[in-house]
Amino acid sequence: MGRAALAPPTMSTPSPIERYVVIGNPIAHSLSPAIHARFAEQTGEALSYERLLVPEGAFAEHARRFFDAGGAGANVTLPFKVDAFEFADAASERAAAAGAANFLAARGARIEADNTDGIGLARDLETNLGIALAGARVLLVGAGGAARGVVAPILERAPALVVVANRTVSRAREIAEHFRARGAIVAAALDAIPAERFDLVLNATAASVHGEPLALPDRALQAGALAYDMAYGSAADPFLARARARGMRASDGLGMLVEQAAESFFLWRGVRPPTRSVLASLRGR
Ligand code: NDP
């Protein structure tokens, strides 16, 4: 699975600017190139970061071509996070726990996978939104790749309880079973959520991006708690409007996107970029 190591730069050939991409389908909407361009500007790192549209079912072939041509790293989004994990020669513990990767890096002859979504969410909640996860009661709605990727970092912070609820309850049960040893986590069907007072309700379903209503009972949305939709921009509006109407604080997932990008940038470049200013500028403030 490996690729030839890059030839070391010589005095007469200045080292080329390292190339990064975000791979997905669709990908035209991705904000990642703009985010990484701002990080590069603010840290003085010279790199290029572009979108790479890959046909469904052809991830490995296109990723191989990119890395064989000297590509330094890739972020990976829908629907390829599992393919990215399987493509890599080695994976971090957090990618292995999620069974999905949003990050690939060429390290010598190997391609290494990681998953920065979970730490991105945790940083947005803790640093940008001032939420303490320790002791919190968390409702995690959804059981796809995004939900799976955030469970371990949430449980690491010792919440009182995580209820993972999903339309297809068997997928929620799989997650609860998989992470059981790491903390207090139980599964529920979307229409049978236990009557808890949740401090944080995370929408990790694709309902928002599909423009579909989320069949979540109102009693799960209680005044004073935070509702967080991992989708961002106008896609998140219906869920956030519903939460605000119930007296909740509400946030979309733009901060998570910026924070996972910052973690990726750090893993590739060894430099931690500023995130608050980038998030503020993306929000137009
Ligand atoms: P997946 O396709 O892996 O999972 C989709 C999940 O949504 C499943 O649990 C599915 O339930 C559920 N779902 C889909 N439609 C509905 C519906 N109408 N009602 C109830 N449940 C529904 O997607 P991901 O996990 O990769 O992504 C989920 C969301 O998170 C997306 O909006 C994505 O954009 C966002 N995301 C944001 C990130 C960020 O940085 N802000 C990072 C990663 C993801 P079922 O199992 O029953 O089909």
Side-chain angles (χ1 to χ4, degrees), residues 104-201:
L104 295 172
R107 300 249 160 80
R110 299 198 321 170
I111 305 300
E112 294 182 3
D114 205 335
N115 191 318
T116 64
D117 282 340
I119 191 70
L121 173 69
R123 291 223 176 99
D124 191 34
L125 291 171
E126 293 173 338
T127 312
N128 301 329
L129 297 166
I131 295 291
L133 285 166
R137 308 183 86 78
V138 180
L139 174 61
L140 174 62
V141 189
R148 229 184 148 84
V150 302
V151 171
I154 291 173
L155 288 176
E156 259 166 38
R157 287 158 171 82
L161 176 67
V162 175
V163 175
V164 51
N166 196 44
R167 184 175 59 180
T168 310
V169 69
S170 58
R171 297 183 78 195
R173 288 203 188 105
E174 255 172 57
I175 292 186
E177 182 59 27
H178 185 84
F179 290 98
R180 197 159 54 99
R182 293 173 185 241
I185 181 165
V186 297
L190 208 48
D191 54 3
I193 290 170
E196 293 285 346
R197 197 191 146 70
F198 294 104
D199 304 297
L200 173 63
V201 178

Side-chain angles (χ1 to χ4, degrees), residues 78 81 143-146 166-168 171 204-206 209 212 230 253 257:
L78 281 174
K81 289 185 186 184
N166 196 44
R167 184 175 59 180
T168 310
R171 297 183 78 195
T205 73
V209 291
E212 296 164 358
M230 290 191 194
L257 183 77

Side-chain angles (χ1 to χ4, degrees), residues 1-6 19-21 23 52 59-76 84 87-89 103-112 268:
M1 276 176 97
R3 69 183 181 90
L6 290 175
R19 288 176 52 232
Y20 299 86
V21 284
I23 304 177
L52 182 58
F59 178 84
E61 175 195 337
H62 286 260
R64 169 67 49 220
R65 201 177 299 154
F66 168 73
F67 283 111
D68 281 350
N75 280 133
V76 180
F87 172 78
D89 302 300
F103 171 98
L104 295 172
R107 300 249 160 80
R110 299 198 321 170
I111 305 300
E112 294 182 3
W268 286 322

Side-chain angles (χ1 to χ4, degrees), residues 31-33 38 43 45 68 72 87 90 92 113 117 119 135 149 160 178 187 204 207 220 237 241 255:
L31 292 175
S32 292
R38 285 187 176 126
T43 57
E45 291 286 299
D68 281 350
F87 172 78
S92 68
D117 282 340
I119 191 70
H178 185 84
D237 285 349

